[in-house]
Amino acid sequence: MNIRQIALRILDEYELGGKYINLALSTHSADNLTREEKAALTVLLYTVVERKLTYDYYICAISKRSDSDIDIHTKNILRLGLCQLVDMTSIPDFAAVNETVKLARQKGERAFVNGILRAAQRMKNSLPMPSEEKNYKRYLSVKYSFPLDTVKHFDSLFGREETENLLKFYNEAKYTDITVNTNKISVKEYKAALSERGIVTEECVGIENTLRINNSVNPERLYGFSEGYFFVQDRASLISALALSPEKGDTLVDVCSAPGGKSFSSAILMGNEGKIHSFDLHESKLSLITSGRDRLGLNIIDVDQGDATCPKEELFGTADKLICDAPCSGLGVLSKKPDLRYKDMDSISELPSLQLKILSESVKYLKVGGVAVYSTCTLNPRENEEVVSAFLSENSDFELVPFKVGEFSAELGMFTLLPHKHNADGFFMAKIIKKR
């Protein structure tokens, strides 16, 4: 079975079975592919998922059929072909068309697929698009392959120009941030070690412990992975840990911790001295935290299953620091999780009440004078500022604390990193202290 056949099978599972693309891909990890073939398959699949609304518009415009009139299997074949024609320029056009047509099941489907792809090949530099002048939100939706409701949401927050810059960032950002485990190696030493192996990294001014590689990489193939010299963490997530400022000897609770990045960076900042309780609701995810902890040698982290809405009474009033990274809509990390861009905006309406409950319950872990950082990886004021405001209105014993991390200053105690402005994940954070 070749890469295109495997890709089609995975896309059908993704669309018809409701699987996330990474999970659908992982179920085929045993297919007899070389490392290079697996990498090519991954790029092909993620590009198709990321760009499928654009491809679907081309398909409907060229065929003059409505979206609902085209079988999903046929549509997936066409998406694969269009991806190779439009976005994978290293593949010759004849191969993109001919090899994709072979995926069709019977004569009528082959003729339809062949006709659409050959038409797309002819108009490759002038493929149809909606009118920008008549409806720029619809135009942005198709051009960048984001649902119209999501575009409208961003437009209401940022306006037309910034919304386009944000969507463009999500489609083009291909980088890997790593946090260096300075308990084992200095940032300078690790940067030099990577440079010796031909890997160029950039530091972030004023943000300690982080390096950026300006492309997507497999972390397990980087020098020092097995030795625990680093872990993958977007600098936005690290900034939230730096805002919390955990210190040696602190007791810290991380209530929604999987896959463990903030617990790991906090343990490193604490010099692996003190105690971190890392909880997560989903027991199946705990192995992600324990395996990372063990690889990094961060033995101050205890891992256990825990529901953030029902905190453990035996730990009430014991924590100096609290990480409350609440489950959210993920609208700040759409460059890394293409599936999330297609989430129905109506489906996130119940999140703020859950987030408020998690924050209100989790602060019971704090001592008087203890500090929490409430954070999300979304760009939605209802999940961010409005949750914090609701919490403070109901809890007079708490107040916001100003903080500064590098060039990022939050004089009012809240800050949002914007991907298109700060070149990082979209990330909200608020620093809160328990006064009494």
Side-chain angles (χ1 to χ4, degrees):
M1 184 173 290
N2 64 36
I3 288 177
R4 291 179 179 87
Q5 290 172 320
I6 296 171
L8 178 59
R9 189 169 66 180
I10 293 174
L11 284 172
D12 283 347
E13 289 178 8
Y14 164 72
E15 290 288 354
L16 299 172
K19 283 187 177 180
Y20 284 114
I21 193 63
N22 63 322
L23 296 178
L25 181 59
S26 68
T27 63
H28 293 268
S29 59
D31 286 315
N32 294 319
L33 298 176
T34 65
R35 180 180 289 175
E36 290 72 22
E37 287 172 332
K38 287 179 182 177
L41 174 63
T42 301
V43 171
L44 179 59
L45 284 169
Y46 274 77
T47 305
V48 168
V49 172
E50 185 177 271
R51 302 283 293 154
K52 68 175 185 175
L53 291 188
T54 307
Y55 300 152
D56 289 356
Y57 186 87
Y58 296 157
I59 293 166
C60 293
I62 294 171
S63 69
K64 294 181 170 53
R65 292 190 188 182
S66 67
D67 190 69
S68 60
D69 286 340
I70 304 173
D71 176 77
I72 189 62
H73 179 81
T74 306
K75 195 182 296 181
N76 280 333
I77 295 173
L78 286 166
R79 289 167 174 172
L80 284 167
L82 287 167
C83 177
Q84 295 167 77
L85 276 172
V86 177
D87 291 311
M88 303 184 78
T89 54
S90 61
I91 298 175
D93 285 359
F94 72 87
V97 175
N98 294 343
E99 294 304 313
T100 302
V101 170
K102 292 178 183 178
L103 297 174
R105 296 163 294 190
Q106 37 78 18
K107 186 177 179 180
E109 187 176 53
R110 284 194 294 274
F112 181 69
V113 169
N114 185 65
I116 297 298
L117 293 183
R118 292 203 179 280
Q121 182 184 0
R122 288 193 298 271
M123 59 177 72
K124 193 171 179 180
N125 297 318
S126 57
L127 284 160
M129 287 289 290
S131 169
E132 184 176 4
E133 289 72 25
K134 290 182 179 178
N135 189 337
Y136 75 86
K137 294 172 191 174
R138 172 70 171 148
Y139 170 81
L140 294 178
S141 170
V142 172
K143 181 178 181 180
Y144 295 102
S145 192
F146 281 84
L148 185 57
D149 282 350
T150 304
V151 174
K152 289 178 177 178
H153 170 77
F154 288 141
D155 183 70
S156 70
L157 295 176
F158 307 121
R160 178 176 178 172
E161 183 177 352
E162 281 200 50
T163 294
E164 180 159 16
N165 289 338
L166 175 63
L167 301 180
K168 185 177 181 182
F169 177 92
Y170 281 149
N171 281 359
E172 296 180 355
K174 307 295 179 191
Y175 63 84
T176 304
D177 282 350
I178 57 177
T179 295
V180 179
N181 184 359
T182 51
N183 291 320
K184 292 192 172 187
I185 191 170
S186 71
V187 174
K188 182 179 180 181
E189 289 171 329
Y190 189 63
K191 181 179 174 70
L194 290 180
S195 180
E196 289 172 3
R197 290 160 176 82
I199 298 174
V200 178
T201 60
E202 298 175 357
E203 297 182 47
C204 183
V205 178
I207 309 299
E208 57 186 291
N209 292 16
T210 188
L211 294 172
R212 171 164 293 182
I213 302 169
N214 277 313
N215 54 59
S216 299
V217 299
N218 180 345
E220 294 184 14
R221 297 177 65 183
L222 288 178
Y223 167 73
F225 178 82
S226 298
E227 294 82 359
Y229 288 167
F230 73 94
F231 65 97
V232 174
Q233 180 184 41
D234 193 275
R235 62 178 53 164
S237 179
L238 176 60
I239 288 169
S240 72
L242 291 167
L244 184 62
S245 302
E247 300 174 349
K248 289 184 178 182
D250 274 350
T251 294
L252 183 150
V253 176
D254 185 353
V255 295
C256 302
S257 58
K262 294 175 189 64
S263 288
F264 302 156
S265 51
S266 296
I268 292 168
L269 293 170
M270 292 163 64
N272 204 30
E273 295 181 21
K275 177 62 66 178
I276 296 178
H277 300 281
S278 295
F279 301 124
D280 199 86
L281 174 63
H282 305 286
E283 193 168 359
S284 60
K285 294 182 179 181
L286 298 183
S287 62
L288 298 172
I289 312 170
T290 55
S291 61
R293 173 199 65 187
D294 295 344
R295 182 177 64 84
L296 296 163
L298 301 172
N299 56 24
I300 66 169
I301 300 174
D302 282 341
V303 182
D304 197 5
Q305 191 274 336
D307 182 345
T309 65
C310 300
K312 299 178 185 293
E313 291 186 25
E314 65 271 22
L315 293 177
F316 284 6
T318 64
D320 302 286
K321 304 287 165 56
L322 170 69
I323 298 171
C324 184
D325 188 58
C328 69
S329 56
L331 295 174
V333 292
L334 300 183
S335 62
K336 296 173 180 172
K337 298 181 178 180
D339 311 75
L340 285 181
R341 69 174 64 192
Y342 304 113
K343 181 181 287 188
D344 184 352
M345 289 296 291
D346 289 338
S347 70
I348 68 178
S349 60
E350 295 181 3
L351 280 171
S353 60
L354 174 62
Q355 292 156 342
L356 177 58
K357 183 172 178 59
I358 287 174
L359 178 58
S360 300
E361 293 296 322
S362 298
V363 294
K364 293 175 181 177
Y365 288 123
L366 286 175
K367 301 173 179 177
V368 173
V371 175
V373 165
Y374 169 81
S375 60
T376 72
C377 56
T378 195
L379 303 174
N380 182 7
R382 290 191 59 227
E383 300 177 67
N384 297 339
E385 292 90 345
E386 291 182 25
V387 169
V388 174
S389 295
F391 168 78
L392 293 175
S393 70
E394 297 172 5
N395 295 273
S396 60
D397 290 348
F398 294 83
E399 67 182 11
L400 288 164
V401 183
F403 63 91
K404 189 176 189 302
V405 179
E407 65 177 348
F408 308 107
S409 181
E411 295 180 3
L412 300 178
M414 294 188 286
F415 190 85
T416 301
L417 289 162
L418 300 175
H420 58 295
K421 288 188 174 181
H422 300 118
N423 199 20
D425 282 348
F427 215 88
F428 171 81
M429 61 198 79
K431 188 171 183 178
I432 302 166
I433 189 169
K434 182 175 182 179
K435 298 184 295 182
R436 54 184 182 270

